[in-house]
Amino acid sequence: MALVEVKVPDIGDFDEVAVIELMVKVGDTIKAEQSLITVESDKAAMEIPSSTAGVVKELRVKLGDKVKQGSVVLVLEASGAVAAVAAEAPTALAAAPVVAAPVVEAQPFVASLVAATVSASVSAAAPAHNPGAPTLGLPHASPSVRKFARELGVPLEEVKGNGPKGRISQDDIQAFTKDVMAGATQTKAQAAKAPAGSDGAALGLIPWPKVDFAKFGPIERKEMGRIKKISGANLLRNAIMIPAVTNHDDADITELEAFRVSTNKENEKSGVKVTMLAFLIKACVAGLKKYPEFNSSLDGDAIVYKNYWHIGFAADTPNGLMVPVIRDADKKGILQISQEMGELAKKARDGKLGPAEMTGATFTISSLGGIGGKYFTPIINAPEVAILGVCKSTQEPVWDGKQFVPRLMLPLSLTWDHRVIDGAAAARFNAYLGQILGDFRRVLL
């Protein structure tokens, strides 16, 4: 028998990383490639495996320590042959970094049983089982187990760990999944969801019709995409929970469109194409500043007025509707907004938008200008309290007091939350927006 130092192998482009979990203790018998500790950088967490089998004689690190390549993790008592190999050539790190993925990117297996409208904010309903995870901090589980739970859509904080100190293992995840499938266990989301809530019964409505469409003719069944599942659940909630009203108006953008066209000609070499949506964003910021209730949110019985103006714009992508956000639109010019919109729209189409680029909006614009239509009723993007819908502009005869003249008219559809905004304020907001679009110099006032 010989003593072998197990060291941190090559961990990539990190000078030092913090030890966030000790997975073994003195006296434990471990196998080769068994995980010893978990380290974490600002971007990822990873497990450090043992280069050889043996018995742990001494731990050289503790929670919170900083380690790097070559740092000694522990001392093992190993057999002579294995010890010699391990001492001369420590095994390279085999485990891939486990990046904490956003909840929306999981492809849930268990979660599909409890509907796509799972909300992390639901705390009133207690689970039907007795979770063994700690109540503070993260559940006691290794990154590989966390990854396994994410892949199955299992809420790790609700799983009872049967390992030392309540540690959750892969077997615990599998057992939890089987119990949910068998109906022996409920998740918090299931407990919070009223029976048959997805078919309208929870609202006192008649059940949703169940139809065998195939008996009427050929069909093709396709699973709904992840983005549509997520956005659909939000839209359903917002449509039901918000007392929404929509005002329809027309804005004369004849001069503004001429200015937009000339601006694009002058800046043709820059590669930045100015769209009407960029002008709409600036016009909406002016309207939001004049009527601040449109730039607010409800928080219980209070109204939160935001002193920043982040404007979301709906982007149609192959994967579904996404809403990138232009931050601090009040501080940016038309050219800068146009450039950012182009970059964000491309990232949305390529599926590369990050969560930070789709959150924090105070007001949203949904534009169908490139497609057509006249008016529509957009659904408010909660926790915002209003949304502007715009359709394709058309040439229309407008009476100027003496005769009908052709003017380019832009249809506006403003949907607002009647709990925060009243009809008079909505009418004033739309009218003011029309005035700005008719004479954009008002933005400077």
Side-chain angles (χ1 to χ4, degrees):
M1 303 295 286
L3 295 180
V4 177
E5 290 184 340
V6 179
K7 301 179 180 180
V8 176
D10 183 6
I11 55 176
D13 300 327
F14 300 107
D15 292 331
E16 286 189 332
V17 289
V19 177
I20 63 170
E21 186 178 18
L22 300 176
M23 305 169 75
V24 296
K25 61 182 183 299
V26 173
D28 284 353
T29 300
I30 62 173
K31 301 176 182 178
E33 301 303 324
Q34 180 177 334
S35 296
L36 305 175
I37 62 173
T38 303
V39 296
E40 186 179 58
S41 70
D42 59 341
K43 296 180 180 179
M46 63 191 80
E47 296 176 13
I48 303 297
S50 176
S51 55
T52 186
V55 178
V56 179
K57 303 301 291 183
E58 181 183 359
L59 278 175
R60 294 282 182 88
V61 295
K62 60 183 182 297
L63 288 178
D65 281 357
K66 298 283 188 177
V67 296
K68 59 184 178 180
Q69 182 179 354
S71 297
V72 178
V73 176
L74 51 76
V75 177
L76 280 180
E77 184 179 74
S79 62
V82 175
V85 174
E88 293 177 9
T91 303
L93 180 62
V98 180
V99 182
V103 174
V104 296
E105 292 188 357
Q107 298 297 328
F109 175 51
V110 173
S112 65
L113 302 175
V114 299
T117 56
V118 174
S119 171
S121 62
V122 176
S123 58
H129 56 91
N130 182 26
T135 56
L136 295 175
L138 294 172
H140 193 33
S142 69
S144 61
V145 171
R146 296 181 193 283
K147 182 175 184 291
F148 184 60
R150 286 199 303 272
E151 290 171 347
L152 292 180
V154 171
L156 198 61
E157 68 277 4
E158 299 181 40
V159 178
K160 178 178 175 59
N162 291 301
K165 298 182 180 180
R167 183 179 182 80
I168 300 171
S169 67
Q170 183 167 314
D171 290 340
D172 294 327
I173 300 294
Q174 291 173 327
F176 179 84
T177 304
K178 290 178 181 178
D179 286 346
V180 171
M181 292 291 292
T185 294
Q186 276 192 319
T187 65
K188 288 182 179 181
Q190 284 176 304
K193 182 183 174 215
S198 61
D199 64 4
L203 301 176
L205 307 176
I206 61 174
W208 194 264
K210 296 185 181 298
V211 181
D212 180 11
F213 299 103
K215 71 180 181 180
F216 302 112
I219 66 170
E220 182 182 2
R221 184 181 180 86
K222 293 183 179 179
E223 289 300 316
M224 188 179 292
R226 175 177 58 85
I227 292 177
K228 285 193 174 181
K229 285 181 182 179
I230 297 168
S231 61
N234 285 320
L235 292 170
L236 175 62
R237 177 201 60 198
N238 298 349
I240 292 174
M241 299 296 292
I242 299 174
V245 183
T246 304
N247 285 34
H248 300 293
D249 268 307
D250 292 320
D252 187 336
I253 60 168
T254 309
E255 278 77 24
L256 184 58
E257 173 62 10
F259 176 66
R260 185 189 73 83
V261 172
S262 65
T263 300
N264 280 333
K265 287 182 179 179
E266 293 171 3
N267 293 276
E268 192 172 358
K269 294 183 180 179
S270 70
V272 178
K273 184 179 179 181
V274 176
T275 65
M276 185 56 64
L277 185 54
F279 288 103
L280 278 166
I281 288 174
K282 288 298 288 186
C284 285
V285 169
L288 296 173
K289 286 188 173 183
K290 187 173 180 66
Y291 300 99
E293 61 265 43
F294 286 83
N295 202 57
S296 69
S297 287
L298 270 176
D299 184 13
D301 293 330
I303 300 177
V304 178
Y305 293 88
K306 301 157 195 172
N307 294 320
Y308 53 90
W309 293 267
H310 302 338
I311 309 299
F313 64 97
D316 186 23
T317 76
N319 297 318
L321 186 69
M322 304 184 78
V323 184
V325 178
I326 300 290
R327 298 187 178 278
D328 299 315
D330 59 311
K331 301 175 183 177
K332 296 172 181 175
I334 296 296
L335 292 177
Q336 185 178 355
I337 289 174
S338 297
Q339 182 176 357
E340 285 191 26
M341 283 174 51
E343 294 170 353
L344 288 170
K346 184 179 186 305
K347 291 179 73 174
R349 290 191 297 270
D350 295 341
K352 296 180 179 179
L353 274 180
E357 294 170 310
M358 294 186 288
T359 56
T362 60
F363 186 85
T364 295
I365 301 174
S366 180
S367 175
L368 302 178
I371 302 173
K374 187 65 176 177
Y375 303 105
F376 67 108
T377 304
I379 296 176
I380 295 170
N381 188 19
E384 299 161 37
V385 296
I387 181 172
L388 179 69
V390 295
C391 289
K392 189 174 183 178
S393 56
T394 57
Q395 289 283 351
E396 297 181 12
V398 177
W399 183 255
D400 68 356
K402 296 180 181 180
Q403 59 183 345
F404 284 101
V405 293
R407 305 295 292 179
L408 187 63
M409 306 301 291
L410 179 68
L412 305 177
S413 299
L414 178 70
T415 299
W416 40 279
D417 188 335
H418 213 332
R419 295 173 299 179
V420 179
I421 300 163
D422 58 36
R428 293 188 184 102
F429 183 92
N430 247 9
Y432 184 68
L433 198 59
Q435 292 171 7
I436 291 175
L437 294 172
D439 185 354
F440 213 72
R441 292 173 298 180
R442 294 175 180 270
V443 170
L444 303 175
L445 299 178

